[in-house]
Amino acid sequence: MNPLLTASITEIREAFGTGELTPLQLLDATLEHLEATDPVINAIAHVDESGARAAAQAATDRLDSGRARGHMDGIPVTIKDSVHAIGMPWRHGVAANADLPMSTVDAPPAARLKEAGAVIVGKTTMPDMGMMAAGVSSLYGITRNPWDLSRNTGGSSAGAGASLASGIGFGSVGSDIAGSVRLPAGHCGLVALKPTQGRIPHTAPSTMRSAGPMARTVDDLIALYGVISRPDPRDTWSLPYEDAAGIHAGLEPAGLRIGVMLDMGYGPTVSDDVQRVVRSAATQLMAAGAVVTEMPPIFADNPYPALDRLFQVRARTEWEAIREDRRSDVLPAVADWAAPAAHFSAAQFSRDTDAVMRSQEIVRAKSAEFDFVIAPVIPTVGFWAEDVGLDPAQPLGHCSFTAWFNQTAQPASALCFGFSGHMPVGIQVVGPRFADQAVLRLTKWLEGAREIEMNWPTAVAADKIGALG
């Protein structure tokens, strides 16, 4: 594999500047690597070679004439199946949607990437309706983790996680409703950000779901964030433009109050290996002068049933919108889990919404005692590639450390901070609403403080899959 494919975006731009590399050559190398790698990991839902080649040619022409548009100009990236882009399919991971017409509009993230000159190579896989935190789909099958093909990528931005870890592209835009960019980042060793809702515009507008960038390094993540965080009036919650000057400088921890969240009071217990990695980050922060405090359990009572019912309603609503003779094509793990929602009353939905809002305030208030909170991304070190989660009856049930920050609208990043054997282990960095840049800066500092090297699994081989059986 061409070593430039896991270089930083800054290094790529330097190669562009010296003439060592052109955007067209970089695209060719990316497509060649994709062709060799994707049959093994199954991360790419659609390749738009003609569109990517036109964008790379335009970027090459701008570079030759001194009119480059910025840091992302000519850089190959991908977008999730759920992000509309003109001329590309939108399938939402569902086999029943396989015959839908191509998109005729660019969703805000796709529009911003094109304006910046980024080369959108194609779209990445996801599970049905984005309602599983796993890389299993009725349409795409199993997406595999390149660190170990027998292991899951997490979801729902499953293909984004697998493709980036294997060296396909320099960034990806996913979406996050309960952890869907942070969870694949945790499984696959990446960096990701679930922003303050509205900071990265997306459609349809939502107070729960956000688009979010994913990358291999914090600097690459920041480059992507700087593009897709520009406002868009189509998102009701879109926030005003925010100057990003100085965002690449790490935030020194001295004097910061850091909470360490290791017990939600419900859900799967955090494994010893995950605790070890989170505590190692806490130790680094403390050594740098932060005031680090381990937080007591967040909840006295289990808040998840109400939130799970809201997720069930969301999935059931989408299931009912599918043509009746195609509904059986939806993955049973999603369809069967969501089926009880057909019998929920409006009053039940209202009670559940109120209960979730009360739980949301508990998380916000306890987080507000600190400048930042660090926490696991996933309670365990992943699970098998074929699994839909830690509990098949609740495919989002293991999102206990991620889902509540969608409800509080707080920015939360994910960063690999250690390994358990050969598998990456991620941590979250959480800040108050609107402190997205501060979260990224502290994540940058932690990236520099970690005592691991990221030797990306770019050489995956098809013969390894045969050994899984």
Side-chain angles (χ1 to χ4, degrees):
M1 188 200 79
N2 188 329
L4 282 172
L5 293 181
T6 53
S8 70
I9 292 176
T10 296
E11 290 169 329
I12 293 298
R13 295 230 64 83
E14 290 172 355
F16 284 170
T18 62
E20 175 189 352
L21 184 69
T22 70
L24 270 172
Q25 291 168 337
L26 182 59
L27 174 63
D28 285 339
T30 299
L31 290 172
E32 181 180 351
H33 183 57
L34 186 158
E35 184 177 354
T37 302
D38 192 59
V40 182
I41 59 173
N42 188 33
I44 303 300
H46 173 76
V47 177
D48 181 21
E49 182 170 355
S50 61
R53 197 163 294 285
Q57 181 65 66
T60 300
D61 293 344
R62 285 191 295 272
L63 187 67
D64 289 344
S65 59
R67 297 180 293 111
R69 292 180 179 175
H71 216 58
M72 294 300 299
D73 200 3
I75 302 296
V77 297
T78 57
I79 57 176
K80 189 177 179 179
D81 174 12
S82 59
V83 179
H84 280 284
I86 294 171
M88 295 193 207
W90 181 97
R91 302 292 183 253
H92 223 208
V94 182
N97 293 335
D99 298 328
L100 291 180
M102 296 296 188
S103 295
T104 58
V105 66
D106 287 328
R112 299 295 87 77
L113 287 168
K114 290 179 179 181
E115 291 163 4
V119 176
I120 302 176
V121 175
K123 303 188 85 173
T124 56
T125 60
M126 62 181 287
D128 293 50
M129 307 174 189
M131 298 309 294
M132 284 196 310
V136 183
S137 160
S138 64
L139 178 59
Y140 302 121
I142 297 170
T143 299
R144 296 183 178 275
N145 193 323
W147 291 96
D148 181 336
L149 297 175
S150 72
R151 306 294 285 177
N152 211 288
T153 58
S156 61
S157 304
S163 59
L164 283 171
S166 68
I168 299 172
F170 294 82
S172 190
V173 178
S175 58
D176 191 311
I177 196 171
S180 292
V181 297
R182 290 161 289 161
L183 291 158
H187 283 266
C188 298
L190 304 167
V191 189
L193 177 72
K194 194 290 294 179
T196 300
Q197 268 74 347
R199 176 53 63 203
I200 296 176
H202 197 20
T203 49
S206 173
T207 57
M208 184 187 299
R209 182 196 61 161
S210 292
M214 301 170 65
R216 284 184 291 271
T217 69
V218 178
D219 278 342
D220 288 357
L221 188 80
I222 288 171
L224 194 53
Y225 170 84
V227 168
I228 64 174
S229 62
R230 292 182 176 274
D232 192 301
R234 293 175 290 172
D235 185 340
T236 309
W237 311 112
S238 179
L239 297 171
Y241 174 74
E242 184 180 53
D243 186 5
I247 190 173
H248 285 274
L251 180 62
E252 291 295 327
L256 293 177
R257 298 167 301 151
I258 307 289
V260 181
M261 184 185 290
L262 285 167
D263 190 345
M264 294 300 293
Y266 81 99
T269 301
V270 179
S271 72
D272 290 344
D273 280 354
V274 173
Q275 285 201 43
R276 172 182 54 79
V277 171
V278 176
R279 291 186 194 281
S280 70
T283 298
Q284 294 283 15
L285 290 163
M286 191 182 305
V291 179
V292 178
T293 305
E294 188 160 327
M295 301 167 68
I298 302 302
F299 292 107
D301 300 302
N302 186 356
Y304 187 67
L307 181 59
D308 195 53
R309 285 191 292 270
L310 294 189
F311 289 146
Q312 286 176 296
V313 169
R314 185 183 182 97
R316 180 69 183 193
T317 300
E318 185 167 341
W319 181 89
E320 290 183 358
I322 294 170
R323 204 176 69 197
E324 190 170 355
D325 64 331
R326 298 298 302 273
R327 290 174 182 171
S328 61
D329 290 341
V330 176
L331 198 73
V334 172
D336 294 348
W337 158 73
H343 308 292
F344 295 166
S345 67
Q348 176 70 64
F349 183 79
S350 182
R351 284 193 296 270
D352 286 337
T353 300
D354 289 346
V356 167
M357 292 180 71
R358 289 192 297 271
S359 298
Q360 158 193 319
E361 174 54 19
I362 290 172
V363 176
R364 187 211 61 80
K366 292 190 176 182
S367 299
E369 297 173 12
F370 305 94
D371 298 312
F372 298 92
V373 168
I374 62 170
V377 176
I378 316 156
T380 65
V381 186
F383 43 88
W384 300 116
E386 297 81 4
D387 292 347
V388 299
L390 295 180
D391 179 0
Q394 292 185 325
L396 296 173
H398 63 280
C399 306
S400 48
F401 283 95
T402 53
W404 291 104
F405 298 117
N406 295 79
Q407 303 303 317
T408 63
Q410 292 173 253
S413 70
L415 170 72
C416 179
F417 206 79
F419 283 82
S420 173
H422 60 286
M423 294 304 295
V425 178
I427 64 169
Q428 280 188 102
V429 180
V430 185
R433 287 181 69 203
F434 311 117
D436 302 69
Q437 292 194 20
V439 165
L440 288 170
R441 291 182 61 207
L442 185 57
T443 307
K444 172 71 181 279
W445 185 91
L446 282 162
E447 181 185 48
R450 65 187 180 185
E451 298 176 343
I452 57 171
E453 290 188 13
M454 300 303 297
N455 296 312
W456 297 103
T458 56
V460 292
D463 58 3
K464 293 181 181 177
I465 287 186
L468 302 180

